Amino acid sequence: MKKLALVHHLPVYLAGSFFLFISSPLFAASSTLTDYFYTTGQILPNNFAISLSEEVTFNDNINEGTRENAHSAWEFNTDVNVDINKTIGYSTYGLQGSVGWNHYHNGNRDSEPDIDLSPYFTFAQDKGNLLLDAGIQYKDESLSNSDRRFAKYYDAILRIGYDLNSHERYGMIISGDYQYQYYTDNEFDNNDNAKYGISMAPYYKVSPKTKVGMRLGYERTDYRSNREHDDLDEMYLNLFVNYQIAMKINLTAEAGFTRSSYDGGSSEGSTGDDGISPNYRLLLAYQMLSNLAFSLQLSHEPADSFELGAQGLTQQNKSTLGMTWMVNPKLSLVQSVSVFLEDEKTTEMDTTQYEYDARMNYQLRKQLMLHAGYTYSTTHFKYVEDNNFKSNEITLGVSWTF
């Protein structure tokens, strides 16, 4: 279940802040190009904020079961949140995220750490811009919509992007990614995997605010064991455009084709293996008014399936429409509506998931903020309707900034 992150400095960068609330492009290796354009344009200078937060959440279907098997539970979360960055000369470095503890009451899940940290570094000068960022998250979530066993794992990523922009009309972005998922329970050892990739993206500057180009990339996924999953190679060729007008509009659109191929095992020869699939990705931020911002994210791409009995590809579609409204200097409202589609190629577990997130933040005092949130999620199976499930989640919280 996705949660809206803690809000910091909404009056300063309203449109930029919204992207911290919706899925995370930070942990999507294939979106490094999109994130490069956005991050290098939105870093806040010389910011230092540390806060302590406490949340209590009620979920009426914590185990994501059907109506007959739904089970409610309370969750208590204590976090130390950080939002720190500093600009010195041509360099900017920072750290965002939180570290804390989750405790479940009346549920079948154990207490566990809450970790979500993202350090980053940028270096901008006349001959090139460098972006280096990393991240680590600790997650406890169901493996998939059909395999609802909860699995604990660490998700770590390292990314680098270098923009060779010494020429006034053209340049090239070289990016690399490394991501590792480590499952702590022996039951899920077969899911441990490492993913790494590299891409080159030559581009042409149509204007100071617009770039168009082509991106060629390669990604490899290696599993510790091939008993449940097979290693996967992917090559892609995309065309892209980046369009930015100060803080008013920020658009990156990318589309092309991906060739997927498995290394032996039962996945080789399955539907979609060694085939070519379309992919696209769009990220649009629009600040309509000084206190009102909208965002849109669309994506379609092939991925390795984690559904029960699946050993092959799935086609993933994600759409998210978001709004951030600064009602007054003390009150803000953040909302998003999302649709996720999973088109399985080797099973009949195709699903469509709808999700609505809302969060209201109230600055009671300079250092004290209150927030309330609501999330509704419902998942529908295309061929196995008896597995449909939904959940409602209500959150109340308080944070103190030092």
Side-chain angles (χ1 to χ4, degrees):
M1 184 65 62
K2 298 183 178 178
K3 296 183 179 178
L4 300 174
L6 185 65
V7 178
H8 290 301
H9 310 287
L10 279 169
V12 183
Y13 280 93
L14 191 59
S17 297
F18 182 81
F19 286 95
L20 300 176
F21 306 135
I22 51 185
S23 156
S24 89
L26 177 62
F27 287 90
S30 60
S31 66
T32 303
L33 179 71
T34 304
D35 295 338
Y36 172 84
F37 284 130
Y38 189 78
T39 305
T40 53
Q42 306 300 320
I43 292 177
L44 302 173
N46 304 319
N47 179 56
F48 182 89
I50 298 180
S51 64
L52 180 66
S53 64
E54 180 67 32
E55 282 187 342
V56 56
T57 300
F58 174 77
N59 190 310
D60 67 354
N61 190 4
I62 192 69
N63 60 343
E64 299 180 353
T66 59
R67 178 176 298 181
E68 296 78 11
N69 299 318
H71 179 67
S72 63
W74 293 84
E75 177 184 349
F76 298 87
N77 173 253
T78 303
D79 271 326
V80 176
N81 310 279
V82 295
D83 185 0
I84 303 169
N85 56 69
K86 180 69 174 179
T87 299
I88 302 177
Y90 297 109
S91 303
T92 298
Y93 59 91
L95 175 68
Q96 291 180 330
S98 62
V99 177
W101 193 258
N102 290 333
H103 172 70
Y104 299 94
H105 177 68
N106 195 34
N108 55 359
R109 298 165 66 184
D110 298 327
S111 299
E112 60 195 4
D114 183 22
I115 301 173
D116 185 357
L117 291 174
S118 304
Y120 58 87
F121 171 81
T122 66
F123 181 79
Q125 42 103 19
D126 293 339
K127 295 184 179 180
N129 299 325
L130 173 69
L131 168 66
L132 176 66
D133 67 7
I136 182 169
Q137 287 184 330
Y138 177 82
K139 300 181 180 180
D140 181 10
E141 58 186 16
S142 56
L143 291 172
S144 66
N145 285 332
S146 65
D147 190 349
R148 299 172 200 169
R149 294 175 297 169
F150 280 84
K152 300 178 176 64
Y153 66 96
Y154 288 92
D155 195 359
I157 191 170
L158 176 65
R159 301 185 308 176
I160 184 171
Y162 189 71
D163 185 1
L164 298 168
N165 61 357
S166 56
H167 195 277
E168 64 176 82
R169 299 300 293 179
Y170 58 83
M172 176 182 290
I173 295 176
I174 302 173
S175 66
D177 309 88
Y178 179 81
Q179 182 177 9
Y180 187 72
Q181 290 184 338
Y182 171 72
Y183 288 77
T184 61
D185 296 332
N186 293 334
E187 180 182 2
F188 305 112
D189 278 349
N190 291 329
N191 291 333
D192 292 352
N193 70 87
K195 178 180 290 187
Y196 48 89
I198 188 171
S199 71
M200 294 183 295
Y203 63 84
Y204 178 76
K205 301 176 185 178
V206 179
S207 71
K209 302 295 184 181
T210 305
K211 301 181 183 73
V212 297
M214 177 180 67
R215 184 162 73 118
L216 174 65
Y218 168 79
E219 285 188 353
R220 168 81 178 181
T221 304
D222 286 325
Y223 288 92
R224 174 187 293 185
S225 170
N226 295 105
R227 286 177 292 181
E228 292 186 11
H229 304 278
D230 294 324
D231 299 336
L232 174 64
D233 288 304
E234 294 177 291
M235 296 187 65
Y236 54 88
L237 177 63
N238 287 9
L239 301 178
F240 69 85
V241 57
N242 172 244
Y243 180 61
Q244 183 174 349
I245 304 179
M247 286 295 295
K248 194 74 173 180
I249 297 177
N250 191 323
L251 167 69
T252 297
E254 184 178 359
F257 296 92
T258 302
R259 180 183 180 275
S260 305
S261 179
Y262 287 96
D263 287 353
S266 58
S267 297
E268 188 176 16
S270 65
T271 303
D273 174 61
D274 205 23
I276 297 177
S277 307
N279 73 74
Y280 61 79
R281 187 176 297 105
L282 180 144
L283 173 62
L284 170 66
Y286 173 56
Q287 185 145 1
M288 183 176 181
L289 302 170
S290 61
N291 67 335
L292 182 63
F294 293 91
S295 69
L296 176 66
Q297 290 192 76
L298 303 174
S299 67
H300 171 86
E301 58 187 351
D304 211 11
S305 178
F306 272 69
E307 297 293 346
L308 280 172
Q311 202 163 16
L313 286 176
T314 179
Q315 298 288 336
Q316 296 181 341
N317 293 272
K318 301 179 182 179
S319 305
T320 299
L321 176 64
M323 181 199 78
T324 302
W325 178 29
M326 197 73 181
V327 182
N328 58 51
K330 290 189 174 183
L331 182 64
S332 64
L333 175 64
V334 181
Q335 298 182 90
S336 66
V337 179
S338 303
V339 182
F340 309 94
L341 290 88
E342 296 273 354
D343 182 8
E344 296 293 324
K345 298 304 180 183
T346 59
T347 76
E348 293 184 347
M349 293 299 178
D350 298 6
T351 57
T352 301
Q353 180 174 321
Y354 303 93
E355 185 169 293
Y356 169 73
D357 286 296
R359 175 175 171 130
M360 184 169 290
N361 305 277
Y362 182 69
Q363 194 80 42
L364 185 62
R365 296 182 180 178
K366 182 179 180 180
Q367 295 174 299
L368 182 63
M369 177 178 285
L370 307 177
H371 64 266
Y374 172 72
T375 299
Y376 172 77
S377 177
T378 178
T379 301
H380 300 272
F381 288 80
K382 185 176 181 179
Y383 302 107
V384 193
E385 295 184 0
D386 291 342
N387 285 2
N388 294 352
F389 62 92
K390 63 179 181 179
S391 68
N392 294 274
E393 186 174 273
I394 300 173
T395 300
L396 298 175
V398 57
S399 64
W400 178 272
T401 302
F402 298 95

